Amino acid sequence: MFSINKALGILPNASEHGQAVDHLLELCHWFMAILFVGWSCYFLYTIFRFHKSRNPKASYHGVQSKASAHLEFTVVLVEAVLLLGFGLPLWGKRVTGDQFPAEADAVRVRAVGEQFAWNFHYAGADGVFGRVHTSFLSGSNPLGLDPSDPAGQDDVVSKNDLHLITGKPTVIDLTSKDVIHSFSLQHMRMCQDAIPGSKIPMWFRPIRGGEYEIVCAQLCGAGHYAMRAMMKVETQAEFDTWMKEQASLKPAAPAAVPAATEPAAH
Amino acid sequence: MSQAHDHGKEITPGTAHEPATGGDHPHFDMHLGLYLGVGGFLLVATAVTVWLSYVDFDKMFGGHGWNIIIAMIVATVKVGFVGAIFMHLKGEKKLVWQFLYFTLFFVAGLFLLTLLNYSDPIFGTSHAHH
Amino acid sequence: MSTAALTHAPDDNAHDDHHHDPGFWQKWVFSTDHKMIGIQYGTTGLAFLMFGFMLMMVMRWQLAHPGEAVPYIGGLLQAIFGSSAFQPDAKGIPGVLTADGYNSFGAMHGTIMVFFGIVPVAFAAFGNFVVPLQIGAIDMTFPRINMASFWCFFISCIFMCVSFFVPGGAAKSGWTSYPPLSGIADSGALNHFFMNGQTLWVTGMVFNITASLLGSVNFIATIIQLRAPGMTWMRLPFFVWAQFVTAFLLLLAFPPLEAAGVMQLMDRAFGTSFFMPTGLIVNGAATHWSGGGSPILWQHLFWFLAHPEVYVLILPGIGMVAEIIACNTRKPLYGYKAMVGAIFVLGFLSFIVWAHHMYMTGMGAKVSGFFQVTTVMISVPSVILVTALMLSLWGGSIRFTMPMLFATAFLPMFGIGGLTGIPLAFNAVDLYLHDTYYVIGHFHYVVAPGTIFAIFAGVYHWYPKATGRMLNEFLGRLHFWGSLIFINGIFFPMFLQGMAGVHRRWFDGGVTYEQIIKPVIHWNNFMSVSAFLLGAAQIPFIINFCWSIWNGRKASDNPWDATTVEWDTPTPPPHGNFTKEITVHRGPYEYSVPGADKDFTPQTEAPKSDKAHLAAPLVAAPAH
Amino acid sequence: MQIPHEVTARPDTGLYNAKLGIWLFLASEVMLFGGLFSAYIFLRMGAEDGYWPHGLLNVPVGAGNTAILIASSVTVVLAWASLKMRKFSQYKLWMGISILCGALFLIVKLAYEWPQKFEHFGAFIKKDAIEHYEKYLGNHHLKEKGLPPRVEISGHLHEVEIAADPAEKEKLEVFLKQHDLEAKPDEHDAKLQIVCSEKKDKDGKREGIRPGVAEDLEKVPGVKLIAFELGLDPINAAPDNPESDKPHFLYKGPTETPGKIERKDVEFYSSFAPKHSSYFAVYFTITGLHGLHVLAGVLIMLYFWLPIEGGANMFKRNPEHLANRVEVVGLFWHFVDLVWIFVFPIFYLL
Ligand code: HEA
Ligand code: HEA
Ligand code: CUA
Ligand SMILES: [Cu+2]
């Protein structure tokens, strides 16, 4: 079927709830198109028909019918349907606690924005995130992992490289070190600000494998335009291999590097 | 109330014009006592505010933030008197009241909606403020 | 301070005006005449519109040709704006916009267009010039405050202009100035504590806001107190209603931003942490703020203003378009009363939708849901306004004069802009479209071919009243068709780019994001070329505007055969406006009244007989 | 050319221009202070335990200033009523008192309350070091009583201990000289450590160092702050004293009880200036803006009080017009009073 979204060049959707989002957007676009085309026909006809050369004497009373009231009523009705039938339920599903994936069966990632990169933090094999504190921050320890915390020993840290598993719900806890960034996963139809001082979770379920660009959707300084990260949605097996690889790549202990030697990536 | 006498007629520009307010004198004299009374009340209420702030209402009623609520109630009463008597809102023209109504409506909105930000975060959000 | 002016406002200055002509300074510079103040606001505002557009043309060059020096004027630009904004390219040719320079120009483009272009022209200039004339008043209620308002605005202009030339360049954190970015920008040991872009920006904004507040008090008081005898509420031209509601929006929405501006100034100049959260790590080093503040607080206060502000941008435009449509269709507006109602509802609702700009900040379900509902609701009064204007065309005898061309083009253009706001209102959808060029397209359709066209319409319509000369038709038509075609060439592709995920504030035109930009990169060049051609299309206008002041065809007192009161004055109107007592007898748009001897019946014309009087049903509404 | 309705009311609104104007202006003022107060609420609700101070301001002085403003409100109405009754000399008297009250309010604020704050030093202790400072903070005691913990140590700064890089010593000396500070070598490590303290005054009493100097010292190249020595505030001097569980009614200045805080344990320190904490940020912003309003009010009232054209002299020409002007400035003045009625409990008492 003809889709306005597609005609306008929408990005392919890769998440479960994204289908509902696209559907709503499609409905909006149809509504807008019908209104616009309808009005345009009227408009073009009117300015042709009532040009002073064709209609030298204006009518004092103009439109007499109740058409406008009906039209406005229809607009209200359609908007109410869009809102009550689609918009609010969709949002309700996204943000009520009972939809929130259980910790056990979700991929959990911490994402920390900084000028101008995204740091990702996986809990590793033990499933427990190591303690982080700003006093441990350094160029080689961009998350400030506490080297003395045993839970942190197996944690996996990556820069600008997010790996997720097809079909598995994902929870990303967002925060930022310096200014507000916004973690925009366009293909997942998700966007959430990373605000320093706050930790805000976002969740979705990727349903299509592939490599996607992650955009920073909030002006964050001179390097904002280049704060690009990649998201790989892959199978469980691929994901596990990547995790193992990362774990083995890791330098022995982040604390080996003295704090604050090199500044964070600029 | 003070303008009751000059309905309609315009003062001619620039002329030293004395509207016939003579009859109003007793009217204002009457109010002098009122003004002093309200002033006295406000002073007493200030003392009461101070005193109330040293009473532990949270312990008395249980819960949280009672002292703030009570202090704000007292302050609102005081402000009510200032508005009604000193700013003669009592008996003020409808138009002024209309301005006030919707101004207060919008401040209330400003307060409530910023508050909601804390009372209704997305699950799991935390704000580390210090 | 302003009470001082309020209380000892007008009376005394009035007497001496009688006796002698005001000198040069009093007539042209420190004038208290609302018409002169309107013209001052108008020329300053138009100059800023042009300046804002020039900033954008430089940016559009960079978007289409990232990393290439601006041709011809690159060296000049680098000499003017300094090395923080422009650098030589690899071959040493000067004039490549830097990332900081781009952000700086972008932030200033937004700020200037909104607060120094559209509001001064659409609200302050037309409001000052036209409103007192239309309601039959001799001036504003507080002429000296009016003058204070303009000069306060002028000071804010100086702050903004100076900020381009301080080390580091003008503010570069977007027109929204979100902290912490705006807090850390241009701060620290290397920058002067006051003479830096962001601090000057905040200071300028505080002055700008103060000017708007003074203006809006004046407008409201004037419309309430100084209507001529017989000018009842329901006989007000629609433009006056639009200005009335707009003034209320400014009066009540601006102060919270003023508060926020003061707080940001405190953050920057005195090191407070209103908007700085605890534990910021910038470039790997801890910052020197106590912390404990909230960046979200700024966003709430900013958008509490900035949403009503967008209606401040559009309502005066709609008002002008309504005037011009009624006059040039030679028939009354359709649904005048419904329009007045709608504009009030619109003004009211505009205060409770602000957080639709903050869907992705992590608001809770209830708050977000609330703002989603109100945002969808606000489209209803807009639809009523557009519908009424559209239906007003029906049955008319449409003359496509210059103002009418722009006014008719306004309708579908505003339609596109408004309609594309609807998907943004739904928060789930907005998470996809937020910060993309879809949003940029949305609001530019409303403000550029929307409000700017309305402004053009207004200029062509009231220029004769202000100068006594008509603008040239031929140059006007050149201006119109060029503008209409090229402005769509810029903004329509934005929806395509936005749907494809291209984000705003990308200094390199998106080339870093290979995947996203690939299918739509070719538009960059197309849009930029359109922008330059749009620039070229303004040349006839500028020539026309300047040349016609002295050489245009002489205008009669009422060149458009219009009904409203401003046309009942000599052209141009003298100090004090009217040469006779004004009494209003009928509604604002009595065109083509059946049985009347001409196709317009001025508001001030005394009824000839009972019959003519009865034939004016629009007057029916009694005094308020 | 005369603008209509300057003196007399427009029949359908019942208001003269300036009165309508001032009410509109006040509406915008309500929104302005509304924005600031909502910022106050926002920040206070977000503040963690221990970061919102209590009882730092001088209650009797604040209450006194409140009384001054209330009194001036009464006198302004009386001044207006006197004009309405055409009693000029009474008007001059009442208006004169109002002006004096306003000026007095400002003097108390600027000459007494604010400077006192700038002398005060406060340091927020890092979370993991709080235990070390139990003797100043008394958190065990507070926990027993179910009271929120303390994280700040405050008082008057007496000495700062610094370590100076010998190569940069010259710069340090210049700095010390500029600020009239004395440096004495530390007894433990004569080579590098320096303790600096301000000169004693005539009576040999130690005045203390301005906290701002400590901040500037830290910016001198080659200088590292090691520790602060203070004369502690009463709550830190005797943290377990149940007297300190609640704010004092009468302000008690810092004691001579010495206290020492290591720089490395400090999260943030400064004088009680706006940047010290969210509390002081809002306090100074709101009282500062309020102060500007008071100043404006005083100036306008002065204008109407002085025997000039447009001022008190207008009484002869058009007394009703003068009465209107006084009514308008009165409305403004009451509004300023009204804001203070909220400010006082919010900052001084709660
Ligand atoms: C004058 C300016 C203006 C106007 C009038 C509007 C009007 C509307 N805006 Fe817009 N908006 C902006 C200026 C404006 N906006 C700006 C500047 C931004 C971005 C700020 C930034 O981030 O920098 C923005 C951003 C913005 C967002 C945030 C997007 C994001 O950042 O993620 C949202 C979300 O809800 C939104 C919604 C709306 C809605 C629902 C309307 C409604 O009021 C629209 C109602 C109108 C209609 C529904 C049209 C009716 C027409 C017809 C019925 C048909 C006519 C057809 C023909 C004539 C042919 N706008
Ligand atoms: C009222 C508001 C307004 C107006 C009118 C415009 C007008 C235009 N804008 Fe702008 N724009 C904004 C408000 C506005 N903009 C804002 C708020 C932003 C966001 C900033 C941010 O990111 O923070 C933005 C951002 C923005 C971007 C995105 C940049 C980015 O994110 O990287 C782009 C890109 O093309 C753009 C383009 C244009 C163009 C081509 C015009 C053209 O339509 C301009 C056309 C102008 C004219 C036609 C004026 C002609 C007038 C004269 C020539 C005067 C004549 C003078 C005399 C006679 C004396 N604008
Ligand atoms: Cu990070 Cu933009
Ligand atoms: Cu908006």
Side-chain angles (χ1 to χ4, degrees), chain C residues 303 306-308 310-311 350 353-357 375 442:
Chain C
W303 290 115
H307 188 85
V310 305
Y311 292 97
S350 73
V353 299
W354 80 84
H356 64 216
H357 298 274
T375 305
H442 151 63

Side-chain angles (χ1 to χ4, degrees), chain A residues 91-92 94-98 100 192 195 197-203, chain B residues 112-129, chain C residues 294 296 300 358-369 371, chain D residues 42 45-46:
Chain A
W91 187 249
R94 298 290 308 145
V95 294
T96 44
D98 54 344
F100 196 69
Q192 170 63 54
I195 302 172
S198 304
K199 180 188 76 106
I200 308 171
M202 74 191 238
W203 71 276
Chain B
L112 284 180
L113 288 161
T114 39
L115 286 184
L116 273 178
N117 198 58
Y118 279 116
S119 66
D120 175 39
I122 289 195
F123 46 84
T125 302
S126 66
H127 300 279
H129 273 282
Chain C
S294 165
I296 298 296
H300 277 297
M358 297 166 62
Y359 285 145
M360 56 286 141
T361 53
M363 287 185 297
K366 292 190 214 81
V367 184
S368 198
F371 282 107
Chain D
F42 203 92
M45 284 183 60

Side-chain angles (χ1 to χ4, degrees), chain C residues 53 56 60 102 109 113 118 174-175 444 448 494 504-505:
Chain C
F53 188 21
M56 183 44 70
R60 285 277 11 149
Y102 182 89
H109 163 77
M113 285 302 201
I118 304 281
W175 80 292
H444 277 94
M494 287 190 177
R504 59 199 285 198
R505 296 161 171 173

Side-chain angles (χ1 to χ4, degrees), chain D residues 11 20 43 61 66 96 127 165 167 200 208 224 242 249 284 286 311 344:
Chain D
L20 184 91
L43 294 176
V61 172
T66 313
K127 285 229 167 56
D165 180 351
K200 301 192 174 157
K224 199 170 163 218
F249 175 67
F284 279 108
I286 293 190
F344 172 61

Side-chain angles (χ1 to χ4, degrees), chain B residues 14 95 99 102-103 105-106 109-110 113-114 116-117 120-122 128-130, chain C residues 224 248 252 278 290 292-293 296 300 304 348 351 354 362-367:
Chain B
L95 193 63
F99 292 160
F102 62 68
T103 308
F105 179 84
F106 289 131
L110 185 61
L113 288 161
T114 39
L116 273 178
N117 198 58
D120 175 39
I122 289 195
H129 273 282
H130 239 289
Chain C
I224 293 180
F248 266 109
L252 297 178
T278 305
S290 73
I296 298 296
H300 277 297
F304 187 87
F348 184 80
F351 279 93
W354 80 84
M363 287 185 297
K366 292 190 214 81
V367 184

